[in-house]
């Protein structure tokens, strides 16, 4: 045991692990002074009116996921990783958001989406409604609907868009336009008879009918738009991808039909057609690239399916045509799915792709008129640790120096619960006997569950652009859209915007006085 401990200390202190420049104290002093100069520059607040708003949502992207994604990004660039910067790391203001639902200590993605999009906390499993609605109870919905910042932006004359790697009817995007007592009512084929008889509408139908003039909708979810048993255009022989609608409606056609005369509406399902569009001649764009959720980035067919970054590029260029600006919701939704499946490699590559999209959006916009916010709906019981040495592969293992576990190695990445729990011959599985670097490897967990669960801790909020300083400290999650709306002079709180489009130095005085 003593020998193993000495070996561990020797590895951690090995000079080969330390980049040469980091051995010089002046490197760290200079880095700190540069950071100090950046911080001092922030004293000059950006109080412009935000013409554009972009909300990037990493579904399930808790702080541990952000850190691990940062290391992965650096290691993909052949660096050690820990010293790397994500694009969101470069945003000047950071806050924490409390994620609980009104009826849940550890939240789900529907109640949280209602908070950060509609500005109202809600019960788990419900979208776009107040906490007066009980999950599954259609008859509790009427009069409890709440509107989102996407609606506020549209009412303010801005263009609006939704981009997601999940189905476009999933929890996060649906809170932008729908009001439902159950997040899973994607089409009428998923609704119980009492909800249909009670007059509740499925989420796909609400996408087409509630706010028919959303300029850009990109993601997955084709099968919820087409009649039951209708063959999918891409997978015509696979039954699981067939249409699900009991009302036999073609909602893509319905989406076309509600557009104003003279306006050009384009529907695409293939990456080639998306990238070939002449966006100057398109007024409305619907892209549905998979029957359900889009494929993990690591598994994506880059001929048929666009990346999140490519979809964001198209969306921003479409929305920028509106001289009054835009609101864009961007969701990296499959970070969450990777974690639920215990597949950390899939989850972290999804997070890196979201960060790539953030970088692209940063280059296409200016912080002088665009407020960008990056956050998560909730965390996961995902962790990495074990005194691993500097530069250790983020998906790598660590030798165990404890006789308690028979000296078996373990991966740095672990889950508190989930499908990765395995006992072999009465002992924890020896990870040296499996391919733990495989994309679909399920990391070990402490408690056996079919699906890993969300975590309940606060999530980070990164902000850059006009009035970004309003996102600071620790906030309730529902504060986020109110701050963004205030910055853009949309929604109900517009008293400070009466003097036309001036950078309102006086705007903050009441806040400062408090």
């Amino acid at each position: 045991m003593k020998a193993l401990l000495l070996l561990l200390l020797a590895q951690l202190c090995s000079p080969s692990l330390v980049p040469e420049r980091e051995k010089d104290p002046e490197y760290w002093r200079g880095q700190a002074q540069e950071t100090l100069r950046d911080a001092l520059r922030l004293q000059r607040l950006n109080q412009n009116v935000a013409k554009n708003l972009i909300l990037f949502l990493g579904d399930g992207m808790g702080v541990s996921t952000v850190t691990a994604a940062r290391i992965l990004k650096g290691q993909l660039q052949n660096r050690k990783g820990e010293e790397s910067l994500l694009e969101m790391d470069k945003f000047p203001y950071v806050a924490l958001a409390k994620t609980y639902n009104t009826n849940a200590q550890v939240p789900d993605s529907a109640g949280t989406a209602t908070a950060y999009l509609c500005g109202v906390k809600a019960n788990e499993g419900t979208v776009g409604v107040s906490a007066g609605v009980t999950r599954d109870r259609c008859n509790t919905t009427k009069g409890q609907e709440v509107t989102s910042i996407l609606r506020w932006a549209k009412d303010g004359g801005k263009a609006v868009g939704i981009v997601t790697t999940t189905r476009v009817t999933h929890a996060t995007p649906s809170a932008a336009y729908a009001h439902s007592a159950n997040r899973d009512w994607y089409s009428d084929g998923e609704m119980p008879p009492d909800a249909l008889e009670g007059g509740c509408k499925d989420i796909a139908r609400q996408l087409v009918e509630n706010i028919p003039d959303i300029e850009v909708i990109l993601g997955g979810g084709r099968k919820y738009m087409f009649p039951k048993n209708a063959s999918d255009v891409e997978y015509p022989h696979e039954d699981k991808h067939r249409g699900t609608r009991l009302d036999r409606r073609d909602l893509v056609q319905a989406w076309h039909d509600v557009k104003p005369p003279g306006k050009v509406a384009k529907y695409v399902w293939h990456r080639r057609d998306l990238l070939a569009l002449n966006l100057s001649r398109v007024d409305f764009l619907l892209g549905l690239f998979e029957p359900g959720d889009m494929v993990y980035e690591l598994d994506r067919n880059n001929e048929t399916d666009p990346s999140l970054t490519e979809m964001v590029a198209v969306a921003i260029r479409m929305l920028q045509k509106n001289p009054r600006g835009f609101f864009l919701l961007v969701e990296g939704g499959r970070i969450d799915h990777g974690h639920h499946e215990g597949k950390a490699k899939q989850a972290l590559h999804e997070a890196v792709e979201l960060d790539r999209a953030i970088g692209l959006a940063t280059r296409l916009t200016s912080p002088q008129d665009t407020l960008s916010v990056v956050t998560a709906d909730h965390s996961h019981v995902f962790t990495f640790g074990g005194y691993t040495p500097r530069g250790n592969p983020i998906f790598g293992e660590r030798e165990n120096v404890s006789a308690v576990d028979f000296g078996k190695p373990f991966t740095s990445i672990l889950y508190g619960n989930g499908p990765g729990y395995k006992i072999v011959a009465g002992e924890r599985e020896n990870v040296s006997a499996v391919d733990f670097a495989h994309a679909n490897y399920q990391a070990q967990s402490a408690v056996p569950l079919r699906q890993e669960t969300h975590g309940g801790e606060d999530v980070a909020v990164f902000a850059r652009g006009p009035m970004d300083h309003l996102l600071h400290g620790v906030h309730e999650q529902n504060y986020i859209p109110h701050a963004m709306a205030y910055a853009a002079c949309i929604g109900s709180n517009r008293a400070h915007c009466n003097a036309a489009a001036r950078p309102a130095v006086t705007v903050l005085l009441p806040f400062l006085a408090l």
Side-chain angles (χ1 to χ4, degrees):
M1 174 61 69
K2 184 176 180 180
L4 284 171
L5 286 171
L6 289 173
L7 175 62
L8 172 61
L9 288 171
Q11 287 180 326
L12 292 176
C13 298
S14 171
S16 63
L17 296 177
V18 183
E20 198 61 33
R21 66 179 182 177
E22 294 183 12
K23 298 176 185 178
D24 184 354
E26 287 306 312
Y27 166 76
W28 297 107
R29 293 168 183 148
Q31 181 195 68
Q33 290 300 314
E34 183 178 350
T35 303
L36 178 60
R37 286 190 292 272
D38 289 341
L40 289 169
R41 280 193 288 271
L42 292 178
Q43 303 310 304
R44 298 190 291 274
L45 300 179
N46 181 347
Q47 298 184 94
N48 296 341
V49 173
K51 175 183 177 182
N52 309 312
L53 299 170
I54 308 178
L55 177 57
F56 295 95
L57 193 286
D59 198 312
M61 191 177 68
V63 172
S64 57
T65 298
V66 171
T67 307
R70 178 189 304 132
I71 294 171
L72 173 59
K73 177 181 178 180
Q75 292 181 349
L76 290 172
Q77 298 169 342
N78 297 316
R79 301 164 64 185
K80 290 185 179 293
E82 297 86 357
E83 74 290 350
S84 301
L85 284 177
L86 292 168
E87 296 297 331
M88 65 187 88
D89 292 337
K90 302 172 187 176
F91 284 28
Y93 286 91
V94 182
L96 292 175
K98 298 157 68 176
T99 65
Y100 66 91
N101 294 150
T102 46
N103 65 341
Q105 185 178 76
V106 178
D108 91 313
S109 295
T112 52
T114 304
Y116 62 74
L117 286 172
C118 303
V120 173
K121 286 223 170 193
N123 292 329
E124 62 88 24
T126 65
V127 291
V129 291
S130 76
V133 173
T134 303
R135 185 170 187 170
D136 293 325
R137 297 280 300 277
C138 169
N139 61 2
T140 64
T141 306
K142 189 173 182 181
Q144 300 299 321
E145 299 89 348
V146 293
T147 58
S148 76
I149 188 171
L150 182 143
R151 164 66 81 177
W152 309 340
K154 173 56 67 174
D155 290 346
K158 297 184 184 296
V160 297
I162 297 169
V163 176
T164 180
T165 53
T166 66
R167 62 205 80 177
V168 296
T169 50
H170 211 255
T172 295
S174 67
Y177 58 82
H179 315 286
S180 180
N182 191 317
R183 58 175 285 180
D184 297 327
W185 291 348
Y186 303 125
S187 76
D188 58 351
E190 286 77 39
M191 295 178 69
D194 67 294
L196 292 171
E197 293 164 5
C200 284
K201 296 180 182 180
D202 64 88
I203 294 171
R205 181 179 169 190
Q206 293 189 59
L207 173 62
V208 173
E209 296 180 356
N210 285 5
I211 310 178
D213 50 353
I214 298 175
E215 280 83 357
V216 179
I217 305 167
L218 300 175
R222 278 196 302 264
K223 65 182 179 180
Y224 306 109
M225 311 292 282
F226 293 104
K228 187 172 179 62
N229 293 325
S231 296
D232 183 72
V233 64
E234 188 175 5
Y235 310 102
H237 305 299
E238 296 190 35
D239 289 346
K240 66 180 180 180
H241 295 320
R242 293 180 181 274
T244 64
R245 301 201 61 78
L246 299 178
D247 61 10
R248 311 299 300 169
R249 293 183 68 189
D250 177 342
L251 289 187
V252 171
Q253 186 59 52
W255 173 82
H256 270 287
D257 292 344
V258 296
K259 298 299 177 283
K263 297 294 185 180
V264 177
K266 292 287 188 180
Y267 166 67
V268 295
W269 62 268
H270 196 288
R271 175 180 181 269
R272 176 190 58 240
D273 297 331
L274 176 73
L275 300 184
L277 287 171
N278 182 344
L279 299 180
S280 66
R281 298 180 180 178
V282 178
D283 299 299
F284 299 96
L285 174 61
L286 172 63
L288 302 174
F289 303 100
E290 287 292 329
D293 299 319
M294 295 189 69
V295 178
Y296 284 126
E297 179 62 20
L298 279 178
D299 303 329
R300 179 174 62 88
N301 182 332
N302 58 19
E303 291 185 4
T304 59
D305 290 356
S307 68
L308 179 61
T309 301
E310 289 171 332
M311 292 192 292
V312 168
V314 170
I316 289 177
R317 291 184 175 113
M318 269 281 292
L319 300 175
Q320 282 177 329
K321 294 187 296 181
N322 187 324
R324 300 186 71 172
F326 64 83
F327 168 81
L328 175 62
L329 170 64
V330 178
E331 183 196 21
R334 304 220 63 197
I335 301 168
D336 178 70
H337 296 173
H339 280 322
H340 278 309
E341 295 174 2
K343 299 175 181 177
K345 191 165 190 174
Q346 297 284 13
L348 295 185
H349 276 272
E350 292 295 306
V352 170
E353 174 59 22
L354 173 62
D355 195 66
R356 188 176 295 118
I358 294 168
L360 182 280
T362 298
R363 294 190 294 275
L364 292 179
T365 59
S366 166
Q368 294 307 306
D369 66 1
T370 301
L371 173 60
S372 298
V373 175
V374 182
T375 190
D377 46 359
H378 54 74
S379 184
H380 276 266
V381 292
F382 161 86
T383 187
F384 71 100
Y387 299 118
T388 46
R390 175 76 179 273
N392 198 67
I394 192 61
F395 303 114
E397 66 176 345
R398 178 67 201 164
E399 292 299 324
N400 192 343
V401 296
S402 172
V404 173
D405 197 32
F406 307 101
K408 287 199 192 83
F410 59 93
T411 55
S412 171
I413 286 174
L414 297 167
Y415 286 96
N417 58 50
Y421 179 92
K422 288 183 178 66
I423 297 296
V424 178
E427 299 176 6
R428 180 175 66 85
E429 182 180 50
N430 190 332
V431 296
S432 295
V434 298
D435 182 7
F436 53 77
H438 191 277
N440 290 320
Y441 169 71
Q442 292 177 308
Q444 292 185 341
S445 65
V447 175
L449 292 177
R450 284 191 176 88
Q451 279 209 328
E452 177 265 6
T453 71
H454 296 169
E457 68 268 26
D458 298 348
V459 296
V461 186
F462 305 85
R464 170 184 179 269
M467 309 297 276
D468 48 9
H469 51 281
L470 296 182
L471 290 158
H472 66 285
V474 180
H475 303 297
E476 293 286 359
Q477 193 170 44
N478 67 292
Y479 169 74
I480 294 171
H482 292 283
M484 296 182 72
Y486 185 93
C489 288
I490 58 174
S492 58
N493 185 5
R494 296 195 302 271
H496 60 290
C497 305
N498 290 339
R502 59 169 167 41
V505 175
T506 58
V507 168
L508 290 188
L509 292 181
F511 287 87
L512 293 173
L514 293 173

